[in-house]
Amino acid sequence: MIYSYEDVIFKYKNNYKLLISIYIIYIMDTLFKITAVLGALAWMPQIIKWIVSWLRKPKLNIICDNEAQVGYIAFGSVLNVNLSFISKHKSSLVENMELIIKDNNNSTYNLNWAWYGETYYELKAPFASATMGKQQKAIAFVSYRDALVEKLVGFHSVYFREKKKELINKINQLIENQKYTGNINVDTIKQSSEYIDLMRLCDDSIIWKKGSYTASCKVYIAGNKSPFIYNFKFSLTETDISNLKSNIKLAKLIIEKSYFPDENKIEDNWLWASPTIEKL
């Protein structure tokens, strides 16, 4: 049977020594409980801080270079730009990026994140310079908390990539069928509708025209459904378009050499436009 302090005091109210001992034990027990509560309360701010930090989502700040690389290469219409990322509250895992571009006629083009590069260091001499870095396929990277992360990001045309992949698969199937018969006829392949469509794709898929463009760069991080967005604008001149269209011939030649190689080497000296970027 369990007695309360009040029951014990009433039962032994005539035994003063015992009552004094009970009071001392009671006081020590009360002080111990108060100390335990105060100790727990001392940890409360830190515990609250941990909970808030765990529940708080990261915020990604995006900083864009003031110049972009606009081009047309064997991967279709592309845009490369230097981006810097600063993650607030906690580190962020950048899982995907996309670029939505609109021209003067409100035509919309989707470019997907294809690759990123980073520079380790740059050596400069009086008459030359060299940059050490790497470029790799877009998968993901970490933007650490309160640390500046700089990446050269490459975006490629979604339509060109998907259409080119579809036509290349058909051409490869045509070649495999010819291998099965034991005779690969180059003229038959070049005259096939699939190969002609592939060459026509190179001619018709360039999205760049003279005029102004608005762009929306959407960056997706793990744990966030909504992307972080950086909006900007740029313009292309008649000279820019002329240079970019001259790349079409080289793009077609590279595709042709991938199917019908010869001893002649190709120098992929692409011409680029470098428009100034303005934040919106």
Side-chain angles (χ1 to χ4, degrees):
M1 187 173 183
I2 300 174
Y3 295 96
S4 66
Y5 282 115
E6 291 79 4
D7 293 335
V8 174
I9 290 171
F10 179 79
K11 186 176 182 180
Y12 298 102
K13 60 183 179 180
N14 295 322
N15 191 336
Y16 296 106
K17 290 184 178 180
L18 181 60
L19 287 175
I20 291 172
S21 299
I22 292 172
Y23 273 121
I24 292 173
I25 294 172
Y26 176 76
I27 292 170
M28 291 180 65
D29 180 63
T30 303
L31 290 174
F32 175 78
K33 290 178 179 178
I34 292 173
T35 303
V37 171
L38 292 175
L41 290 175
W43 278 96
M44 285 302 295
Q46 184 62 43
I47 293 173
I48 293 172
K49 186 177 179 181
W50 286 338
I51 293 173
V52 170
S53 177
W54 181 67
L55 294 175
R56 202 171 192 180
K57 292 185 177 182
K59 179 182 178 182
L60 192 67
N61 292 335
I62 306 168
I63 304 170
C64 187
D65 193 5
N66 59 5
E67 190 176 272
Q69 279 187 325
V70 173
Y72 184 86
I73 58 176
F75 299 108
S77 298
V78 301
L79 187 147
N80 307 328
V81 64
N82 280 301
L83 296 175
S84 297
F85 306 90
I86 302 177
S87 188
K88 297 294 184 181
H89 310 317
K90 60 175 66 174
S91 297
S92 305
L93 177 65
V94 177
E95 294 184 319
N96 192 23
M97 286 186 274
E98 62 177 338
L99 193 65
I100 312 299
I101 295 178
K102 285 187 177 181
D103 62 17
N104 289 333
N105 300 320
N106 283 328
S107 298
T108 302
Y109 307 97
N110 294 344
L111 280 71
N112 269 7
W113 181 30
W115 59 271
Y116 70 90
E118 51 191 344
T119 301
Y120 297 134
Y121 58 85
E122 185 176 1
L123 298 175
K124 291 187 176 181
F127 303 103
S129 64
T131 302
M132 291 298 296
K134 71 173 182 178
Q135 179 178 314
Q136 62 188 68
K137 184 180 178 181
I139 301 175
F141 65 85
V142 176
S143 176
Y144 293 100
R145 176 184 173 185
D146 297 330
L148 183 68
V149 177
E150 298 181 6
K151 303 288 183 184
L152 175 60
V153 182
F155 296 95
H156 291 178
S157 168
V158 175
Y159 171 78
F160 184 88
R161 182 191 63 195
E162 293 178 351
K163 191 65 178 177
K164 180 183 176 183
K165 182 179 179 181
E166 175 189 334
L167 292 172
I168 284 177
N169 287 338
K170 291 180 179 179
I171 295 170
N172 290 341
Q173 186 60 52
L174 177 63
I175 293 174
E176 287 299 318
N177 292 339
Q178 288 194 0
K179 286 182 179 179
Y180 182 76
T181 61
N183 182 29
I184 297 178
N185 190 313
V186 174
D187 292 332
T188 301
I189 296 172
K190 286 187 175 182
Q191 293 170 9
S192 66
S193 60
E194 294 82 2
Y195 189 85
I196 293 172
D197 287 344
L198 182 58
M199 294 297 104
R200 187 180 294 120
L201 177 67
C202 294
D203 290 324
D204 300 339
S205 64
I206 184 169
I207 66 174
W208 309 120
K209 305 177 182 67
K210 177 186 175 182
S212 300
Y213 290 83
T214 59
S216 181
C217 179
K218 299 182 178 182
V219 181
Y220 297 85
I221 66 172
N224 274 39
K225 291 183 179 180
S226 300
F228 294 93
I229 301 174
Y230 186 93
N231 297 316
F232 61 91
K233 66 179 182 178
F234 62 93
S235 299
L236 297 175
T237 66
E238 193 68 52
T239 302
D240 292 331
I241 303 306
S242 176
N243 289 335
L244 295 178
K245 285 186 175 180
S246 69
N247 291 335
I248 295 176
K249 182 178 179 180
L250 178 57
K252 293 167 69 174
L253 183 60
I254 289 175
I255 293 174
E256 181 180 346
K257 294 295 183 183
S258 67
Y259 285 107
F260 317 111
D262 55 32
E263 296 179 354
N264 298 322
K265 293 184 178 180
I266 302 176
E267 294 185 5
D268 52 348
N269 296 323
W270 304 105
L271 297 179
W272 296 85
S274 301
T276 299
I277 287 177
E278 294 182 41
K279 184 179 179 181
L280 295 176

